[in-house]
Amino acid sequence: METEAAGNNLYFTFGVIADIQYADIRNGLNYSRTRERYYRNSLRLLRNAIKEWNEEPVAPNFILQLGDIIDGCNSQIKASEEALQTVLNEFTNCLSPVHHVWGNHEFYNFDRKQLLKSVLNSKHLEGDIVSSNVPSISIKTEINPDDSEAFYGYHFSPFPKFRFIITDAYDLSILGRGKSSKKHNESVQILKSYNKNENPNSPEGLAGLNIRFLGFNGGFSQEQLEWLNAVLDFSDQNQEKVTVVGHLPIHPGSTDPVCVAWNFNEMLSMLQAHSSVVCFIAGHDHDGGYYLDDCGIHHLTFEGVIETSPESQAFGTVHVYEDRMILEGRGRIPRRVLWYRER
């Protein structure tokens, strides 16, 4: 039974919310015109989530906002800055620090240079805690000086022997970069080699997992994978438990294949090679999903606020213990117990 687990002392908690996609417009339909999107109501659901987090007996150590904080339609009506500020005003009421992930809708509204200078760049929250269990050393995280738009991600340790790594799933993407940049051109070639459609968001002619090669997806550059590998090497040696976070899911079992990262297989192989990795958390697929892979890594895809009806809710709080994490979901988010894999 759960109460008989080896570790019943609660270490810390954190909140998670995905795909708010706020816009001050009437409800609409999703891309495939199968689900309603509640653009204005998403702000109310966020407000309610923050209120519940603030009132929890144990305040969350931090919140993960998994990307797509405002909808791309804001760019079309020239309301990107206003919409973003409206959502950020709600987050100012949150008693916990917020780690922001970048999704495709961030890039519909802003380019990478704008995001790097914005509040959505939460890299200032990076760093180790200083304790007897976690050495206060810096992990090598150099970024290519020739790439002025590079981000890659960052990592932090909220509790001894636990680390969270925020990744950039649109490091390779046709979105957000200057069209003359090397990575933009590389991304165009990757996409065109699989998707011959004039509209890069059209899946016509794509079959199986190749349906992921769409313009609203992206991938991880070799430089980012090398950076991530160095962080995970440290975590392996330090016997940490690592949760990796990104907007795009990286396991086809945890999502619709239309939402998987372009080079998910490279990222997945790397994570499975490191004993420290226990979980990968993503958004993007508004229906959510879950998969426990053969190496014991939990792949958790959060349901999106934007397609959550006004009568429901879509956020969760994760309770972290020595041997497991327990997701207490609200509304569309189911409760899950995530046991760590054996080393």
Side-chain angles (χ1 to χ4, degrees), residues 303-329:
E303 288 79 353
V305 171
I306 183 62
E307 291 180 13
T308 301
S309 71
E311 296 77 30
S312 188
Q313 186 52 279
F315 73 98
T317 303
V318 181
H319 298 249
V320 181
Y321 297 85
E322 179 185 354
D323 54 4
R324 71 206 185 279
M325 296 192 291
I326 300 177
L327 166 60
E328 299 291 356

Side-chain angles (χ1 to χ4, degrees), residues 32-45:
S32 58
R33 306 191 69 78
T34 56
R35 294 278 289 273
E36 190 164 9
R37 291 188 168 178
Y38 304 90
Y39 293 106
R40 290 189 177 115
N41 185 67
S42 65
L43 194 68
R44 186 179 68 84
L45 295 190

